[in-house]
C-alpha cells in the first residue's frame, strides 16, 4: 500500500465517508481571503509534481489575469518529484476547507513508472472533489499547443514535444528550454511567459487542447457540452460525472489519452478564455 493510500485509509477511518450533497443546494463558489487583497477574489488551490515550470505558470496566470478576473491561484509548496497521488493529497491537505476549489497537475511521464499511481490519483481526486489537469505526455505539450497543434502519440515520452517547442519560430525564449540547469532550464519568466500570453495564444491553446479530447483514441470522448463549474465538495460526484467534466468517457483509461492535456479547462473555468463548446 502506498503512502497516499494509507493516508486516505486513515482519514476514512477517522471521519467516515462524506454524504452526497443536494445538487440543487446553494454552493459558495468563492471564499473571501483578506490576505490576498480584494475580498471578492476567488482563491483556487493548485498542487503540481514539479516545482519550477508549473509554479511559474501559475504565477504567470495570476500576474496576467488574476486582478481582472478576480482570482488568485495559491500554489501549494512541496518538494520536487511528487507522485500523482501525493499531488492530490497535498492539495487536499493545503485547502482551507473541503469545498475549496482544488486542482492537481501531473503528467504521464513513463520514465517515472507511475501508471498505476495515476489511476489511483484520478479515483482519489474524484472522491475528494479535486479537479485534475493530466498532461500526456508532459506539461510541455500544453506549452506547445499555444503555438501549434500536436496529434502524434508519443507513449509518454516528450522528446518530440520539446524539440518542436524549442524550434517553433513564435515560441520566443524557448530555444534552450530544459537544456540548462536551475531556473534557466524550465523557467517561464521573461520572454517565455510573454510568448505564452501574447495575442490570441491562450485561446489557440484551449482550442487545440479541446480538439484532442474529441480525437481521443478511446472513441467515446467528446469536447462538447462540458461542465466548467467548481466541484461542490468531496463525495458530491460519481467518478463518471467527474470524468465527464474533462470530456472523456468514464471507462477511458487516462494512460491512453495520448496526446492530451486538461490545462485548458482551468483557463475556461477561471474565465481567462471563453469556452467555445459548440466548436467540437
Amino acid at each position: 500500500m502506498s503512502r497516499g493510500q494509507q493516508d486516505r485509509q486513515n482519514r476514512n477511518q477517522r471521519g467516515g465517508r462524506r454524504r452526497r450533497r443536494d445538487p440543487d443546494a446553494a454552493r459558495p463558489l468563492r471564499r473571501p481571503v483578506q490576505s490576498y487583497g480584494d475580498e471578492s477574489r476567488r482563491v483556487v488551490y493548485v498542487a503540481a509534481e514539479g516545482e519550477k515550470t508549473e509554479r511559474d505558470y501559475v504565477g504567470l496566470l495570476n500576474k496576467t489575469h488574476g486582478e481582472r478576473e478576480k482570482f488568485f491561484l495559491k500554489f501549494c509548496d512541496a518538494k520536487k518529484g511528487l507522485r500523482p497521488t501525493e499531488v492530490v493529497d497535498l492539495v487536499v491537505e493545503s485547502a482551507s476547507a473541503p469545498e475549496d476549489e482544488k486542482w492537481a497537475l501531473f503528467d504521464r511521464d513513463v520514465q517515472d513508472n507511475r501508471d498505476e499511481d495515476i489511476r489511483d490519483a484520478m479515483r482519489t481526486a474524484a472522491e475528494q472533489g479535486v479537479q485534475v489537469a493530466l498532461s500526456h505526455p508532459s506539461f510541455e505539450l500544453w506549452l506547445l499547443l499555444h503555438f501549434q497543434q500536436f496529434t502524434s502519440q508519443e507513449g509518454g515520452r516528450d522528446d518530440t514535444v520539446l524539440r518542436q517547442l524549442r524550434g517553433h519560430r513564435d515560441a520566443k525564449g524557448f530555444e534552450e528550454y530544459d537544456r540548462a540547469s536551475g531556473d534557466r532550464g524550465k523557467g517561464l519568466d521573461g520572454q517565455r511567459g510573454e510568448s505564452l500570453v501574447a495575442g490570441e495564444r491562450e485561446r489557440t491553446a484551449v482550442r487545440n487542447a479541446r480538439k484532442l479530447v474529441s480525437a481521443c483514441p478511446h472513441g467515446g470522448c467528446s469536447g462538447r457540452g462540458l461542465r466548467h463549474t467548481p466541484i461542490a465538495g468531496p463525495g458530491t460526484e460519481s467518478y463518471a460525472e467527474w470524468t465527464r467534466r474533462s470530456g472523456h468517457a468514464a471507462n477511458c483509461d487516462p494512460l491512453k489519452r495520448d496526446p492530451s492535456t486538461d490545462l485548458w479547462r482551468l483557463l475556461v473555468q477561471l474565465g481567462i478564455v471563453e469556452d467555445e463548446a459548440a466548436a467540437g
Side-chain angles (χ1 to χ4, degrees), residues 34-45:
Q34 183 68 38
S35 59
Y36 299 125
D38 189 339
E39 292 186 358
S40 66
R41 184 165 294 194
R42 170 183 177 186
V43 178
V44 181
Y45 293 83

Side-chain angles (χ1 to χ4, degrees), residues 1-146:
M1 180 179 294
S2 68
R3 188 180 72 180
Q5 291 173 312
Q6 183 64 58
D7 290 343
R8 288 189 294 278
Q9 179 175 306
N10 291 340
R11 285 198 297 269
N12 289 336
Q13 290 174 346
R14 291 195 302 267
R17 191 174 185 84
R18 295 179 175 88
R19 294 184 300 171
R20 181 180 294 270
R21 295 186 178 184
D22 180 356
D24 297 322
R27 300 168 179 171
L29 300 187
R30 300 186 181 188
R31 293 181 59 81
V33 178
Q34 183 68 38
S35 59
Y36 299 125
D38 189 339
E39 292 186 358
S40 66
R41 184 165 294 194
R42 170 183 177 186
V43 178
V44 181
Y45 293 83
V46 180
E49 59 186 309
E51 63 177 356
K52 183 54 186 174
T53 310
E54 291 90 337
R55 176 190 290 276
D56 278 7
Y57 184 69
V58 166
L60 179 66
L61 294 183
N62 279 331
K63 178 181 178 180
T64 308
H65 305 289
E67 183 175 353
R68 185 190 67 204
E69 300 298 338
K70 298 295 183 183
F71 69 77
F72 179 81
L73 301 177
K74 183 172 176 56
F75 193 85
C76 306
D77 292 319
K79 63 181 180 180
K80 182 179 180 180
L82 292 181
R83 298 185 70 79
T85 50
E86 294 173 327
V87 175
V88 174
D89 288 341
L90 174 62
V91 77
V92 170
E93 294 164 1
S94 300
S96 298
E99 66 270 18
D100 284 336
E101 292 185 64
K102 302 176 288 292
W103 282 78
L105 282 51
F106 49 83
D107 305 341
R108 169 75 193 282
D109 191 5
V110 293
Q111 300 180 47
D112 196 24
N113 190 26
R114 59 176 61 188
D115 286 3
E116 289 306 316
D117 197 71
I118 286 177
R119 293 189 178 102
D120 190 27
M122 300 286 273
R123 290 283 178 180
T124 302
E127 295 170 359
Q128 295 295 326
V130 177
Q131 308 248 33
V132 165
L134 170 66
S135 294
H136 195 324
S138 67
F139 183 85
E140 282 70 27
L141 171 63
W142 170 244
L143 303 182
L144 179 61
L145 293 181
H146 286 71

Side-chain angles (χ1 to χ4, degrees), residues 231-247:
I231 299 175
T236 57
E237 293 183 352
S238 66
Y239 183 76
E241 293 169 330
W242 179 86
T243 300
R244 179 54 191 152
R245 286 176 171 271
S246 67

Side-chain angles (χ1 to χ4, degrees), residues 222-240:
S222 173
R224 295 177 179 271
L226 304 181
R227 298 174 59 192
H228 300 294
T229 57
I231 299 175
T236 57
E237 293 183 352
S238 66
Y239 183 76

